[in-house]
Amino acid sequence: MRALLLCLLALLACSSRAEELPSWAEEALRAAEPFQVPKGAAVWTLLDRTRITREQDGSWLRSRQVVHRVLQQRGGASAASFTLDGAPDSSRIESLRGWHRRADGGVQSLDHKQVTTFGELGSGPLHLRTRTVAGFEQVGRGDILVFESLEREANYFSVTVAAVLGDNPVHVRRFELVQQAQDQIVIQPVSFEPWGLKAIRKPGVLEILDVPARANEALSPDDFLAFPYVILGYRGGDGDPMASWDAMARWYAAKFRACAETRGGLSAAEFPESLSLAAKSLADKISYRQVYLTSARGWEPLAGAEVERRAYGDCKDMVAYLAYRLDKLGLDLNPALTHINSGYDPSPEEPVQPNAFNHVIAAIPLAHSLGFAAEVERDGRRWLLHDPTDRYTPLGQLGLQLRGRTLMICDDAGAHWVTLPDSAVQSIRLDLHLRGRIDADHGLEGTLQLAEHGDAIGLRTLLGEGSLNDLLARLREQLALPGVVDLEPKLPNLDSQGVLTLECAVVWPSFLRRNAGGLKLPAAVTGGGYIKLETMEARQQPVWIPATTPTRWRLELDLPFPLKAIEDRWQWQDALSQLSWQAQPGRTFICDFSHERRRLHFGPNDRLAGLEAWYDYVDKYARFLINATCFF
Amino acid sequence: MISVLVLFLCFGEIAYGTPIPAADWQYGAELRSADAIVLDDRTRFFEKTIARYRKVRVLSERGKAAVEFVDLTGTARKLEGRVVDIHGEQTAFGQRSDLVEILTYKAGGDTEKVRLLVPPGLTRNCIVELAWEIPAEGAIPLGRDEYFQAVAEPWHVRSKSFSFSALRNHPGWSLGKLRLVSQPFWTSANDRHFRLERSGGRQTVTYLDLPGRAAFPFGNDWRYDGRHYVQVVKTFPDFGLRTRDFWKDVCRNYVRPYLFDFEFKPSPEYRAWVEQLKAERAGDSVGAMGQLLRAFRARLASTRMPRWDQRLGSTESEVDPAKRIVAAFQRGYGDSFELNQLFYHLALDVGQPFVLVFPSSTEQWPFEPESRQPFYFNYNYPLFGVKQGDALVLFTPERYAYSPGHVPARFEGLEAMVVDPRAGWQPSFTVLSASGAASNRIVTQYQTELQADFGYSLSLERSATGAYAAAYRQAYYGLPPAERDEALAASWRDLGVFALTEASVAGVDDLDAVITEKIGLRVEKRPLVVSSYAFHPFPNSVRPLVSPHSWPPGRDQDLFLDFARQHTDINTIVVPEGWRLSGVNDWHRANAVGQVEVQAVQEGRRVTVRRELTLSRHRFGRAEERQLKAFLAWVDEAFEQTIAFALPQASP
C-alpha cells in the first residue's frame, strides 16, 4: 500500500507543464542530425539510455531516458507510449516524465491522467507483476517523444539481462553503471559479433551505435537469448550465484533445500519401488499451478508440506514435494535446471546469467542403475531424472519437452551438465488409419483410428486432465483438420506402454477437393502449404526450423471413380526431413504415407544455409504434392 | 418451509467438520462426462451486501476450473470455505495466500482490483464449499451501476437461486428531479427448470438442472435458449406503471430534457451554415440526409477517426454538454458524443426529417420493453433513421468509416427503440432490417501474363463497399497517401519472393467513395519438374469466412455472422502459345446459406477464371448449421483451388 501511495505521489509530481524539451533530449536531437534516417522505419529512437546506480542497501536506481522521432504516421501510436514493468515487492517508480513535441513545435508534458498501471491477469501464471504505461494522444509524423523514468529495484540476483534489438532502430543505445568504491561492475555484451553491432566500451559504459530494429521474419528464433543481449550488474561477494555456473549450482542446491525444508546429504536410492510410490503420490495429488506472490518465487519453491496442503504448485514446487517425500524415506534429491518451451538451450560455455533456465526437474541420486531409461551419469555419479510437471509420463522416462535438452544438476559440489540422450526421452509418433467411402460430392464417411505414442501431440495429457473435448480439439489443431469435419469419438484407451488409441466416426465434407483440373487429397492428410520466406539477401535473423511430429497415415478409400496420380511412389530422406508415400490407385485407393521433420537451427553466420535448407524442403514438398497427391 | 428456514439459517456459513450429505456425492451419476457440477449456488441480495454461497462437485482435473481462479471482485470479504475429498478428508481455506489480490488497473484516482481464489487441497474427486460477500448499496455492488450474473455456466448446475428483499430508494442516486431505486430483474421460464417463491418479505428465484454451456462457433453469449440472467438495475420509480407509459416517461421526462433538448446557443457561423445547408437541400429525405451527413463530416473532424493531416487536440475542456457542442463546432472537431449532439441539432435546424433509433446490439442482452430497464440503451450514441416507404434507412453520424446508409452490423436485425423528436418523443419498438449480401461487396479484378519460364506478371484492382469499405477506411484514413500505399505493399511482401511494381490505394479520403487497391507484381519463378503447371489464380484474395476449429454438438442458438457479403474474383490470364487449360475446373454449389461458383474458360491464349462467393444473410437458425458447414467447406475448396496447364512439351 505504501509503495502504491508513493508511486501515485511520484506520478502526480509529474503533472507540471513545460514548454520545451529537457536539455539532454535536445542534445540527442542535435547529435542525430547529421545522420541518415533509417530506411523504412516508422520510428527512429535517437537515444535509449539506461543508467544504474547501486544504493547502500543493495537496491538499484535505474534511470532511463528515451528520445523517439516519428518518421511515419503509422509509427505514432508506438512512439507515443512508454512502458515500465514492475512488481510491488521488487520495484517502485520514483518518477516518470514525458514530453511530446509536435511537428509544429508545440510541446506538451505528460500529465498524470496519461499514466495507467495494469495488473497482468490472464489464464496462465498468477502473479502480481504490473505494467505502467504512459502515453500521449494525437501523435503523428515529424513529432518528437521524450520519456524519462527513475525506478528503484530490489533485484534477486546481482546481474540482470537486457535485450538489445527492439521494434525500432536505435541511433544510440547506452548502458551506464555507476561504480561506487567497492563495486565491481559487469557490462558484458553477448552475441554482438555475428550481428555486426558497433559497440564502444568505456569504464562503466557500453554504447551501441545504430542498432537495427528486429525484423519480423518467419522461422526466427523464439527466444531473446538467441539475439544479442547485455549482462549488467555488480559482482557480489563470496557466494554470489552469478560468479560461475558452479557457484550458481551450489547456491541453488542450498536454496532449494532450505525452501523445500529437506535435509540433503541423504542416501542414494537403491530400489525403484520407493521412488515409484513417491512419484505416483505426486502425480495423483499435485496439480500444476503457477502462483507467484513474490518475485523470489521465480526461484524459490514452497516447503514440501505446504505444497501438499495446497495440492498444487509449479515445477520447482513439485520437485520440492518429491524431495519432501523422498526425504522422509532418507533419500536424496538434487534440483536440475533446464530450459524448455523455446528453441534456446543453455550451455556451460555461455556467460553466467539468470535467464538461462526456466524449468526445474528432479535428479534423484542412484546408488546403481535401476534400469530406467532416464538415468544419466556424470562426474562419476548416477541420477534418475524425473519431471514431475509432466505428470502423465511414467517414472523412468522423460517427455518430449526435454528432447535434446541440456540440464544443470545442482548439488553442493557445483554444476553437473548433462545433455539428454534420445534414449532418455519417450519416442513419439502418431499413427492414423482412415477408412471410408467417398460419395459423388467428394465427401467422406468412415472411421479414423489413431494411436499416439509418447504423448506426441499431448493427447495422453489431455485424457489425464479429463476432457475428451479438449483431446479432440488438440487433434484437430495438430492435424489442421477443418472444423467442418465431424468427429464422433468412442472412449479412448491408454495401454500399459502409454500408447493412447482412439477411434472416431468421421464425416468429412469436400474431402477430395478440386485442384489443377482434377482432385486432391486434403492438406490435413498430406501436409504442405509451407511458409514462403523473404528474399535471401535481406534475411536478418538466424533460421530456426521447428520439428514436426512423426506421422504415419494409412488411407483406405472406396470411391465412385478411380484415383490415379502422376506418381504412385515418392520418398526422400535427408538431414532435415524424411517422407515416404506408397499408393495403390483405383476405385479402392490404398495409401501408406509417413513424414517427419527434425528441428534444425542455423545460427547468425549460417542464415543462407538455413534458407537454402528450407527452400529445398518446401520445393521438395511442393513436387511431392503435385505429383503424388493430385489425381487427374 | 422448515427446510427452507434451516437453509437460510445456515446460509453463508460453512459447516466445517460435518460430512457432505450422501445425496450430493450421488447426484449426477448420469453426467459421467461432466468435469464439474454446481450442486448449489445461492446469492442473497441485501441493502448493504450481496452474499454468495457455492457448493461444487469437482470430477476431473479440468473441472477444478469451476472453483479455481474465481473472480470475487476486489471488494470481496469474509471468504471461507473447505474442500472435502471423496474419502472425507477436509481442507479448510480462507488464508491470505489462498486469495490473490491483483491490480486490474490504476489510472488517475481510480484503482480497481480483483481477488482470485486458488483453493488448496483440490483433488480430482471432491466437493468444494465456499462463501463470501461483497459490499453493496441498494443491492448493487459499490461503485457499479448494476449487478449482473449469467445463470448458466460451463458446468451442469443442479440449483442456483437468487433471493431479494424489498429495496429502498436511494437519494444519492437521483438524476436532477428524478428519483431512482434499484430493481431486480430476472429471466424466467415456465417449466420445471424455474421456480419463484415469496416468503417473509423476500422473493427467491431458483433455476434447476441447467445443462453446461458449450461455446458454439458463430454463437452469441446473449442470445440462446436457456440464456438466463439475473440483474439488479437502477430505475425510475415514479414513471408509468404500464410498460408503454413507462417508456413514454423515459423518453419525455429523462432522455429529452436531460440528454438532448438542453439549451443550445449557437454562434452566428453556425446559423449561417444552417441557412446554407437549407438552401442546398435537394432530393428525397434519404438523399437529403446523406447530403447533410457528408456536409457535416466535411466541416467537422472526428477525434475517433482523424484523417492523417488532422492534428486534433483534447475535447475535455467543457463539462456542460451545450457548451461542448458549441465549442466542437468552433474548433471544427469533436468526440463521438459531441458529433452526435451537434448532428441532432443540425438536422432539426435544417428541417431534415429523421427519427432517433436507440439500438440493441449483439454485444448486449436482448432488449425487452417489459423489463423496464431505462438505462438499457446508450442514449448518447443513437442511430439516425429516415423513412423510405416502409423501410428505415439508417445513418451513424459519428462513425466516419461508415458511408451514409451503412451502420455497423452488430445493430442489424435486432430490437430497437425509435423516437421522433418532432412528434412528442413518443417511443415505438421495432426490429431493424439487415443489409443484404450486395451491400457488402469485394470485387477483385486480376490481370496476369504467364511466361514460358513459369514467371509471371500480375496486376489487380480491388474495390470494397459497405462493411468492407468501413474496415478499409478505418485502416487507411489515418495514414498519409504514401503510407497507405506502403501498408498495402507490406501486406503483399509477406507472401513470397516477387518484385512489386505497383501498390496504391484510392478513395479513402472521400468518406462516401468506393475504396480501391491496386497491385502490380512480377514473379521470377523456379520451375517445377512436372508435366503440367499449376497456378493459383487469386493470390492474396480476401477470405470471406474462416472455418472455426470446433463445432460442439447440440447447438442451442442461432448463428450470428457479422454481415452478409459477396466476393467476386476474376482473373484474366494470358498464357504462352500452346498452353492448354487442364481438366475440369468449373463447379457450382448452393444452399440456403450461400453459394460458391468457380469457372475457368479458355479462348486462344486468354483464360478467364471467375470465382463468386455469396453469404446470403448474416444470421441463421440453428437448424442451418449443417448448411453453413457445407458452405464453409466449399469456400475452403474454392480458395485452395488451382488451375493447371498442359504444356506443349515437358517443362525443363
Side-chain angles (χ1 to χ4, degrees), chain B residues 214 216 551-557 625:
Chain B
F216 294 99
W551 296 75
R555 186 174 192 99
D556 61 1
Q557 55 192 276
E625 183 187 74

Side-chain angles (χ1 to χ4, degrees), chain B residues 400-412:
Chain B
Y400 279 35
Y402 285 85
S403 304
H406 292 278
V407 298
R410 64 177 181 277
F411 303 130
E412 293 189 341

Side-chain angles (χ1 to χ4, degrees), chain B residues 83 93 100 123 125 147 164 218 247 355 380 394 398 418 448 468 480 504:
Chain B
V83 178
F93 58 83
V100 182
T123 69
N125 194 351
Y147 176 91
F164 307 94
F218 303 117
W247 285 106
V355 289
N380 287 328
L394 296 172
E398 102 272 18
V418 178
T448 307
Y468 285 119
S504 63

Side-chain angles (χ1 to χ4, degrees), chain B residues 548-571:
Chain B
H549 283 301
S550 174
W551 296 75
R555 186 174 192 99
D556 61 1
Q557 55 192 276
D558 285 356
L559 298 121
F560 287 82
L561 286 79
D562 40 8
F563 48 84
R565 68 204 66 188
Q566 213 170 60
H567 287 229
T568 304
D569 297 274
I570 301 164
N571 196 346

Side-chain angles (χ1 to χ4, degrees), chain B residues 290-359:
Chain B
Q291 185 189 12
L292 182 66
L293 187 52
R294 283 179 205 106
F296 178 81
R297 288 173 173 174
R299 174 129 190 177
L300 287 139
S302 165
T303 56
R304 182 172 171 166
M305 199 177 102
R307 203 174 55 218
W308 63 278
D309 55 350
Q310 294 170 330
R311 302 297 294 272
L312 313 180
S314 172
T315 64
E316 292 176 1
S317 54
E318 284 289 351
V319 176
D320 178 355
K323 291 180 180 169
R324 278 181 71 181
I325 58 175
V326 170
F329 179 76
Q330 289 307 119
R331 65 178 175 246
Y333 64 85
D335 61 20
S336 296
F337 170 79
E338 293 160 349
L339 294 174
N340 264 326
Q341 283 293 338
L342 196 51
F343 189 78
Y344 166 78
H345 287 281
L346 181 69
L348 284 177
D349 293 342
V350 168
Q352 167 67 42
F354 71 95
V355 289
L356 291 173
V357 179
F358 300 106

Side-chain angles (χ1 to χ4, degrees), chain B residues 539-550:
Chain B
N540 205 16
S541 53
V542 178
R543 208 175 180 88
L545 285 171
V546 176
S547 181
H549 283 301
S550 174

